[in-house]
């Protein structure tokens, strides 16, 4: 066998061995944590957030490709949590962090910014207390390994009590979590940082699955291998929990921010054309653009959904009704929401007068950017769902949560740690899957 094939075979065998060891470590942690009979409350809580993991990924690959996460799910609780609108990373991750919907935390994306009058993409602005800030206020120690939404909002790069580190890869974020669990120095921008103790909460983030989903769609053949690599890192964290002797107290919470839907066609010509035929001047804006003078219908979009802002004649009652009728009559759209419906969903005020969701395989995309190859996007209600797994101390194995939401994650973690949730949290602790007394 050529040398390069020998090397590949050796690497493959090593990866398989590491995955098996990680799965065994997770199983040991889950079994010990389920007992939780050492008289101590749960902790640390390890929040694992893999961006853009559609619930169907677990349906298809959990048993075959993700032994570590599978072991946690088998000995814990697995569900699908509903997300917030729009299903875009930063607003949804803000919901995970604050326990609140966009109407409260006010993180929005792909909107017409009222301050600048221009379309704006994603930001990290937050107007509600995060879980990290709430726990820090209550004297807890924290580590964010790449969970960027709390940087400067409860975690900082120079604070060993609430440290933020940004790995270039998932493996580097795993390295930070492992070091913290083992009491070893954590690599940070300014050099190694030794934490005063094992953090009460460790959050570790990965963007790998989301990146592939956007580039190649959710049916990409690279998704299963990426999930396996992510799972291997989860197994390393579980092995560190066991080495540190924390398996009877540790809790794993696995979550994502949104799902992913494939698209191959643009609906912009149909939508803009229908509005023009109805007598309205319409324009779709990209980030940094302002509408042309006299534009009556302005759209800002992420591929799977768009906000609709009405001006001039379109903003008058008769014009508004006509715009809405036009949009509801288009079969390329699967959802049209007026302002009352958006408010009921907890959407932020910046989300527009109307919002519309694309029907697969369509998306709000320039037709010139498409070549027939499937790509992936999110933002619509179809993607407002994320996998959720809880396992370990304080979690009742096999229990079923009642209509869980991503905004329930922060209050549930706070409850596990015996702490108060973020100040403006709208979500609830999932008490039906938690032991009444975490010490038994």
């Amino acid at each position: 066998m050529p040398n390069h094939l020998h090397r590949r075979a050796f690497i493959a065998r090593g990866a398989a061995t590491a995955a098996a060891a990680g799965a065994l470590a997770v199983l040991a942690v889950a079994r010990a944590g389920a007992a939780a009979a050492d008289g101590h409350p749960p902790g640390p809580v390890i929040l694992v957030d893999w961006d853009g993991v559609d619930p169907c990924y677990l349906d298809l690959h959990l048993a075959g490709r993700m032994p570590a996460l599978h072991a946690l799910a088998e000995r814990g609780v697995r569900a699908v949590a509903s997300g917030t609108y729009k299903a875009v990373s930063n607003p949804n991750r803000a919901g995970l962090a604050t326990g609140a919907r966009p109407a409260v935390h006010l993180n929005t994306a792909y909107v017409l910014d009222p301050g600048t009058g221009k379309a704006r993409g994603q930001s990290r602005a937050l107007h509600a207390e995060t879980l990290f800030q709430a726990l820090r206020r209550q004297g807890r120690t924290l580590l964010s390994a790449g969970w960027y939404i709390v940087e400067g909002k409860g975690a900082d790069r120079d604070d060993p009590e609430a440290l933020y580190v940004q790995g270039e890869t998932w493996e580097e974020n795993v390295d930070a979590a492992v070091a913290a669990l083992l009491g070893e120095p954590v690599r940070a921008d300014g050099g190694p940082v030794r934490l005063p103790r094992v953090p009460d909460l460790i959050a570790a983030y990965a963007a790998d699955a989301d990146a592939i989903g956007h580039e190649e769609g959710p049916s990409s053949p690279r998704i299963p291998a990426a999930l396996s690599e992510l799972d291997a890192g989860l197994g390393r964290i579980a092995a560190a929990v066991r080495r540190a002797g924390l398996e009877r107290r540790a809790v794993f919470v696995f979550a994502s921010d949104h799902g992913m839907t494939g698209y191959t066609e643009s609906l912009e010509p149909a939508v803009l054309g229908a509005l023009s035929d109805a007598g309205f001047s319409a324009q779709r804006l990209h980030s940094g653009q302002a509408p042309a003078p006299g534009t009556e219908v302005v759209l800002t979009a992420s591929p799977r959904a768009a906000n609709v802002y009405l001006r001039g004649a379109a903003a008058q009652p008769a014009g508004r009704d006509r715009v809405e009728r036009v949009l509801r009559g288009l079969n390329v759209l699967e959802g049209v929401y007026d302002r009352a419906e958006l408010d009921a969903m907890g959407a932020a005020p910046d989300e527009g007068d109307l919002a519309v969701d694309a029907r697969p395989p369509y998306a709000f995309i320039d037709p010139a950017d498409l070549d027939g190859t499937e790509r992936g996007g999110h933002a619509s209600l179809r993607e407002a769902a994320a996998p959720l797994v809880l396992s370990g101390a304080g979690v009742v194995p096999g229990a079923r949560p009642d209509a869980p939401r991503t905004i329930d994650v922060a209050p549930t973690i706070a409850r596990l740690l015996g702490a108060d949730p973020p100040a403006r949290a709208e979500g609830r602790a999932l008490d039906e899957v938690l032991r009444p007394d975490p010490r038994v």
Side-chain angles (χ1 to χ4, degrees):
M1 182 184 293
N3 285 339
H4 72 281
L5 295 182
H6 276 296
R7 287 195 297 272
R8 288 182 182 174
F10 177 80
I11 291 170
R13 287 195 300 272
T17 301
L24 289 174
V26 168
L27 188 58
V29 170
R31 283 175 174 164
D38 61 358
H40 295 285
V45 173
I46 299 149
L47 171 61
V48 176
D49 177 0
W50 296 344
D51 200 318
V53 173
D54 193 277
C56 77
Y57 292 0
L58 269 63
D59 295 337
L60 294 171
H61 306 298
L62 182 62
R65 289 282 192 164
M66 294 181 277
L69 185 57
H70 184 249
L72 288 175
E74 287 290 290
R75 292 282 176 171
V77 171
R78 178 188 167 194
V80 174
S82 58
T84 58
Y85 193 81
K86 295 193 301 284
V88 178
S89 290
N90 286 12
N92 276 249
R93 190 155 287 108
L96 283 170
T98 64
R101 297 176 298 174
V104 173
H105 64 60
L106 298 182
N107 183 285
T108 55
Y110 307 104
V111 298
L112 188 62
D113 192 312
T116 64
K118 297 180 180 180
R120 173 179 56 75
Q122 298 199 64
S123 79
R124 299 187 184 181
L126 278 177
H127 295 270
E129 184 179 55
T130 70
L131 176 62
F132 269 57
Q133 288 170 320
L135 293 176
R136 191 75 191 96
R137 172 168 51 80
Q138 297 170 73
R140 304 305 179 92
T141 55
L142 314 163
L143 170 67
S144 172
W147 204 48
Y148 61 85
I149 201 67
V150 297
E151 183 183 8
K153 302 172 183 68
D156 292 288
R157 298 189 184 224
D158 58 355
D159 184 356
E161 296 277 350
L163 184 64
Y164 180 84
V165 295
Q166 181 61 67
E168 294 295 324
T169 63
W170 164 240
E171 289 74 17
E172 290 183 3
N173 288 334
V174 169
D175 289 343
V178 167
L181 288 163
L182 297 179
E184 298 172 353
V186 176
R187 181 184 299 177
D189 290 346
V193 175
R194 186 175 292 278
L195 308 186
R197 53 194 172 278
V198 174
D200 297 293
L201 173 61
I202 297 172
Y205 169 79
D208 307 54
D210 184 68
I212 295 172
H214 278 293
E215 293 170 6
E216 302 174 14
S219 58
S220 167
R222 291 203 292 142
I223 292 288
L227 295 172
S228 293
E229 293 174 2
L230 293 172
D231 189 78
L234 175 59
R236 286 181 54 209
I237 295 173
V241 166
R242 192 176 185 186
R243 285 175 58 194
L246 296 168
E247 62 266 35
R248 296 181 67 84
R249 297 177 56 186
V251 193
F252 282 85
V253 177
F254 169 82
S256 187
D257 52 348
H258 55 71
M260 187 73 66
T261 299
Y263 64 86
T264 55
E265 303 288 340
S266 171
L267 50 60
E268 288 191 9
V271 173
L272 296 175
L275 291 168
S276 178
D277 290 345
F280 297 104
S281 58
Q283 183 181 5
R284 185 268 167 93
L285 301 181
H286 296 272
S287 293
Q289 294 180 330
T295 302
E296 296 169 306
V297 183
V298 177
L299 286 81
T300 61
S302 182
R304 293 278 306 125
N307 296 331
V308 182
Y309 301 86
L310 305 179
R311 298 176 163 201
Q316 301 303 311
R320 182 186 301 264
D321 290 344
R322 192 149 51 97
V323 169
E324 188 170 345
R325 284 198 304 272
V326 168
L327 295 174
R328 291 191 185 277
L330 294 174
N331 62 8
V332 295
L333 298 175
E334 68 176 1
V336 178
Y337 315 109
D338 61 24
R339 191 61 244 182
E341 291 170 313
L342 290 171
D343 290 340
M345 288 191 285
D350 292 353
E351 294 289 352
D353 299 291
L354 300 164
V356 295
D357 288 351
R359 185 185 304 279
Y362 293 97
F364 288 91
I365 198 81
D366 189 333
D369 293 336
L370 297 174
D371 57 8
T373 302
E374 184 183 72
R375 294 179 175 84
H378 50 87
S380 77
L381 276 183
R382 182 181 286 261
E383 296 87 45
L388 177 65
V389 174
L390 299 94
S391 190
V395 177
V396 179
R400 294 185 179 182
D402 181 16
R405 302 164 295 174
T406 54
I407 63 172
D408 297 332
V409 169
T412 299
I413 291 174
R415 179 67 55 83
L416 283 164
L417 292 172
D420 294 331
R424 302 187 68 189
E426 299 174 286
R428 65 181 184 88
L430 298 173
D431 290 322
E432 64 272 24
V433 303
L434 305 182
R435 298 181 183 277
D437 184 342
R439 293 170 295 179
V440 300

